[in-house]
Amino acid sequence: KKKVKRKVKVPEKVKVKEVRTRKEVVKRKNPLYSKASAQTSVHFDRENLEERQQNISATYRRLVKLAQARRRYLEDSIQLFGFYRECDEFESWMQDQEKVMKSVESMKDNVEAMKRKFENLMTALAANTGRMEKIDQLADVFVKTGHSQQKPVRARQKELKERWEKLHQLQRD
C-alpha cells in the first residue's frame, strides 16, 4: 500500500444531461452580407479578381522572360571569360617560349645545350598548335551566335595570331 503524505481532494462526479443539437438555418439580416454589398465588395467581385489574376500572370511571364534573358547573359559571360582565360594562358606560354628562344640565341657557345633547347621548343610548338586552333574555334562560335562582344573577341584572336606568327618566325630564324 502506498501512503499519501498530504490529503488529496477528489472532485465529485456530476452527471450532465446529454446535449442534442438541432440543424436549423438562421437568416441574418446584417447589411454586410446582403446581395447588393456582395456584388460591390472586392472580395466577391469576379471581374476584378479575373483582371487581377491576368495582371499577375502577365507580370509572372515578364519575370520568366527576364530570368531567361539573364541566364543567357550569364552563360555568355561564362563563355567569354573562358575564352579570355584560354587566351591569357596561351599568351603567357608564348611569352615564356620567346624568352627561351632569346636565351637560345645568347647561348651560341654551348652547341649541345642550344640544340636540346631548340628541340624542346620545336616539340612544344607542335604540341600547342591545337591551343591556337581551339581559340579560333571559340572565336568563331562567338561570331556565329551573335555574341555582344564579337569585336573584342576578334581583336584578341587577331592579336594572338600575330604573336603566334612572330613565335614561328623566331623559330625559323
Side-chain angles (χ1 to χ4, degrees):
K1 285 186 176 181
K2 290 186 182 178
K3 290 186 178 181
V4 178
K5 292 183 181 179
R6 62 175 201 243
K7 292 183 180 181
V8 176
K9 187 175 181 183
V10 178
E12 291 182 32
K13 287 188 178 182
V14 179
K15 290 191 176 185
V16 180
K17 290 184 181 179
E18 187 176 330
V19 179
R20 293 185 185 178
T21 57
R22 291 187 295 173
K23 293 184 181 178
E24 192 175 312
V25 177
V26 178
K27 292 184 180 179
R28 294 186 182 187
K29 293 186 180 181
N30 192 340
L32 293 176
Y33 295 105
S34 69
K35 244 186 188 179
S37 67
Q39 290 175 353
T40 59
S41 170
V42 175
H43 183 70
F44 294 105
D45 193 0
R46 178 179 222 86
E47 292 172 5
N48 282 338
L49 285 176
E50 288 175 0
E51 181 181 335
R52 186 158 183 192
Q53 181 64 40
Q54 289 172 356
N55 288 340
I56 290 171
S57 296
T59 304
Y60 178 75
R61 285 190 298 273
R62 281 194 309 265
L63 182 64
V64 167
K65 286 180 184 177
L66 288 172
Q68 289 170 345
R70 173 96 172 138
R71 183 181 183 89
R72 282 191 306 271
Y73 175 76
L74 289 173
E75 288 171 353
D76 288 348
S77 296
I78 289 170
Q79 284 182 324
L80 181 66
F81 285 112
F83 173 78
Y84 281 138
R85 183 184 63 243
E86 184 68 30
C87 290
D88 290 341
E89 289 174 1
F90 188 61
E91 188 173 34
S92 174
W93 177 83
M94 286 193 293
Q95 286 175 346
D96 293 342
Q97 297 307 310
E98 286 174 358
K99 288 178 186 176
V100 169
M101 284 186 174
K102 289 177 182 176
S103 71
V104 167
E105 291 174 3
S106 65
M107 293 178 57
K108 291 186 180 180
D109 298 336
N110 192 349
V111 177
E112 284 297 317
M114 188 173 83
K115 186 176 177 182
R116 272 186 276 132
K117 280 195 175 188
F118 185 74
E119 287 174 359
N120 289 340
L121 181 66
M122 294 294 287
T123 306
L125 283 175
N128 283 289
T129 303
R131 288 177 85 181
M132 189 65 213
E133 291 171 0
K134 182 179 177 183
I135 289 172
D136 289 339
Q137 289 173 350
L138 288 172
D140 291 339
V141 168
F142 281 113
V143 171
K144 286 178 185 176
T145 58
H147 196 277
S148 63
Q149 299 291 319
Q150 289 179 17
K151 289 181 182 178
V153 166
R154 282 291 185 195
R156 183 80 166 138
Q157 179 190 21
K158 183 180 176 186
E159 178 185 320
L160 285 176
K161 277 190 174 187
E162 289 172 358
R163 192 135 191 200
W164 180 248
E165 292 300 322
K166 181 181 171 187
L167 191 63
H168 276 285
Q169 188 63 35
L170 282 173
Q171 172 204 351
R172 290 181 206 119
D173 294 342

